[in-house]
Amino acid sequence: MDKKRKSQPGKIQNLQAKSTDKPKLQRKEYEEQIAKLHAELVKLQLWAKHTGAKVAVIFEGRDAAGKGGVIKRITERVSPRVFRVVALPAPSERERTQIYFQRYFEHLPAGGEIVIFDRSWYNRLGVERVMGFCTDEEYERFLKVCPAWERDIIEAGVILIKYWFEVSKEEQTRRFCERINDPRKIWKLSGMDLESHRRWYDYSRARDAMFAATDTERSPWYVVNGDDKRRARLNCISHFLSLIPYEEIELEKVSLPLRQKSKGYVEPDYPYRFIPERY
């Protein structure tokens, strides 16, 4: 059985995204650092394909804590055939009658895949618990079964990494207000988001119970301070890369072949429907 980490009184209860005295990270410096990390992610991708490695990454945390931004930066320069994002909708009527973990089985990585869970089976310990979408019996069963299930995944050869994104009350409120007032971001604001803002302490208690039961030596939770978006992205991606023993794969030198000769081909005088060039 997985040994739980030695408890530190007050540590979980006082978990907050700490404000930082560091100066604001300028865009130029941020772009330089993210470009370097993107290059490393490509190396990771090539290594995973070459070795058949299986990686599963879980992103959980407070609403508006920056999970989506990190996922976007991880995946924007790599192949979606290798880096696969799983963001499941609410379960269907049929899925509600299944064994809880069943709908997640098929999304676990095969060889050469890195699967990113944008929310995961931990919905049971978060929104389902707080909003009353599961029974007390279902909740207690999950607490008991989850560590063993994750241990089995790891022993089957999957590198399992779990991130929790924390954000301060003040910053979460600021981001929600920004979403309300920005037509580009209003789609990010759901009824559940509003409830998560109202029920801050209910979600805090749910988080504390989750850590106490599932933060094990074999499958630990890593906490990301999400108050500074740019630093959170860089810190999380660099930490993610540090956990995987990937190596650079030597590639064959690529040379661009010359184009074939036209052999009399002439472009047709066809009235193509070009889009208006407004910019």
Side-chain angles (χ1 to χ4, degrees):
M1 181 177 292
D2 287 328
K3 293 181 179 179
K4 301 287 174 55
R5 297 182 170 192
K6 293 182 179 179
S7 61
Q8 299 181 28
K11 184 175 182 182
I12 292 177
Q13 288 75 8
N14 295 327
L15 178 60
Q16 289 283 329
K18 301 295 190 296
S19 60
T20 177
D21 295 329
K22 293 181 180 180
K24 181 179 180 180
L25 190 64
Q26 297 301 310
R27 178 171 291 278
K28 181 179 179 181
E29 182 182 357
Y30 167 74
E31 294 294 347
E32 289 175 353
Q33 295 302 320
I34 201 71
K36 293 177 182 178
L37 293 174
H38 281 156
E40 291 302 313
L41 288 167
V42 171
K43 292 178 184 178
L44 171 60
Q45 170 182 290
L46 296 172
W47 172 83
K49 289 182 64 178
H50 180 76
T51 62
K54 296 174 286 188
V55 182
V57 193
I58 289 174
F59 282 83
E60 294 284 350
R62 299 277 190 186
D63 286 307
K67 301 180 294 297
V70 174
I71 292 172
K72 180 179 179 181
R73 270 66 189 184
I74 288 176
T75 58
E76 64 185 351
R77 297 291 182 177
V78 292
S79 171
R81 295 182 180 87
V82 178
F83 281 78
R84 187 159 53 83
V85 178
V86 175
L88 298 182
S92 65
E93 288 299 323
R94 179 177 181 276
E95 288 172 331
R96 289 192 183 95
T97 67
Q98 295 176 342
I99 298 171
Y100 179 72
F101 290 104
Q102 189 171 340
R103 70 192 299 241
Y104 296 100
F105 288 164
E106 63 179 301
H107 298 288
L108 290 171
E113 291 183 345
I114 300 169
V115 175
I116 298 173
F117 286 92
D118 185 358
R119 300 293 193 184
S120 67
W121 45 90
Y122 281 99
N123 276 342
R124 174 130 296 176
L125 299 191
V127 65
E128 289 193 14
R129 175 60 171 174
V130 173
M131 301 302 295
F133 296 156
C134 67
T135 66
D136 289 344
E137 182 181 357
E138 289 170 332
Y139 171 77
E140 294 296 337
R141 176 170 174 75
F142 183 97
L143 288 176
K144 295 176 182 178
V145 171
C146 184
W149 190 65
E150 291 182 352
R151 184 173 66 248
D152 188 57
I153 291 173
I154 293 167
E155 290 176 354
V158 176
I159 299 173
L160 179 62
I161 301 170
K162 302 188 300 191
Y163 285 112
W164 173 268
F165 282 70
E166 189 64 32
V167 67
S168 65
K169 294 192 293 291
E170 296 77 15
E171 180 62 16
Q172 187 191 57
T173 298
R174 189 192 69 77
R175 291 179 186 177
F176 278 151
C177 290
E178 186 179 62
R179 290 179 182 183
I180 291 171
N181 296 310
D182 189 336
R184 300 168 300 173
K185 298 180 179 181
I186 191 65
W187 65 271
K188 293 183 176 182
L189 200 61
S190 68
M192 289 296 179
D193 293 326
L194 298 176
E195 277 298 294
S196 73
H197 185 267
R198 185 172 74 87
R199 300 191 184 205
W200 174 273
Y201 294 105
D202 287 342
Y203 274 96
S204 295
R205 295 182 183 95
R207 177 205 61 199
D208 297 346
M210 181 191 76
F211 270 60
T214 64
D215 183 27
T216 65
E217 291 294 338
R218 291 292 300 277
S219 182
W221 279 103
Y222 297 105
V223 180
V224 180
N225 176 356
D227 268 11
D228 185 320
K229 288 184 178 181
R230 290 178 182 173
R231 294 186 188 279
R233 293 165 187 170
L234 297 177
N235 289 333
C236 185
I237 296 173
S238 61
H239 181 265
F240 166 60
L241 288 165
S242 75
L243 296 179
I244 303 177
Y246 70 98
E247 299 175 350
E248 187 167 1
I249 302 299
E250 291 292 333
L251 300 175
E252 294 183 7
K253 187 176 180 180
V254 178
S255 58
L256 191 65
L258 296 174
R259 286 201 177 94
Q260 64 181 161
K261 294 182 179 180
S262 66
K263 296 182 181 180
Y265 175 79
V266 178
E267 288 282 351
D269 184 16
Y270 186 83
Y272 295 107
R273 294 179 176 87
F274 286 101
I275 65 172
E277 296 185 0
R278 296 174 178 172
Y279 304 99

